Amino acid sequence: MVEDENGLELILCCLEDLAAKVKLAIGHKPVLLDVESAAQYLGLKVSYMNKLRRGNDGPPYIKVGDSVRYHVDDLNEWLRSYKRRGNFGKETQKAEAGS
């Protein structure tokens, strides 16, 4: 009977550990994305991602063998670099003020 209780305690401990790992995995976003996932993340076509990479205009990437991966933080930083504020017509106003 004592052996059964120890076995049950061990199983319970393992299940609690597994449950904690599952909760962590569910809340954890993938850090590295393949080209298709990165394109979807950015709202771009895969062909455009490939074009950007070949022209060195795209986000930083990691290449191991034939595999290309993008780090989510690099994608976010690259996307932020394209952030613009609305300044429609300000150049015209500046040109008119200088005349």
Side-chain angles (χ1 to χ4, degrees):
M1 180 108 177
V2 174
E3 290 178 10
D4 288 341
E5 289 178 9
N6 288 338
L8 289 174
E9 287 179 20
L10 180 61
I11 291 171
L12 182 59
C13 182
C14 290
L15 287 174
E16 288 173 350
D17 185 49
L18 180 61
K21 289 179 181 177
V22 168
K23 285 180 184 177
L24 182 63
I26 290 172
H28 190 270
K29 295 180 182 177
V31 176
L32 293 177
L33 303 176
D34 60 14
V35 179
E36 291 80 13
S37 298
Q40 184 178 9
Y41 182 81
L42 294 172
L44 302 173
K45 293 183 178 182
V46 172
S47 59
Y48 189 62
M49 288 291 293
N50 292 331
K51 180 181 177 181
L52 288 171
R53 190 174 63 253
R54 284 191 301 270
N56 291 323
D57 295 327
Y61 62 94
I62 300 164
K63 184 162 177 138
V64 179
D66 291 336
S67 297
V68 173
R69 297 289 184 262
Y70 293 90
H71 195 284
V72 172
D73 291 342
D74 290 335
L75 295 175
N76 290 332
E77 186 176 330
W78 180 79
L79 196 58
R80 274 192 296 274
S81 74
Y82 282 87
K83 190 173 186 178
R84 301 287 183 262
R85 296 189 183 269
N87 62 355
F88 181 74
K90 287 188 178 180
E91 270 109 69
T92 306
Q93 292 171 357
K94 287 180 186 176
E96 290 172 0
S99 325

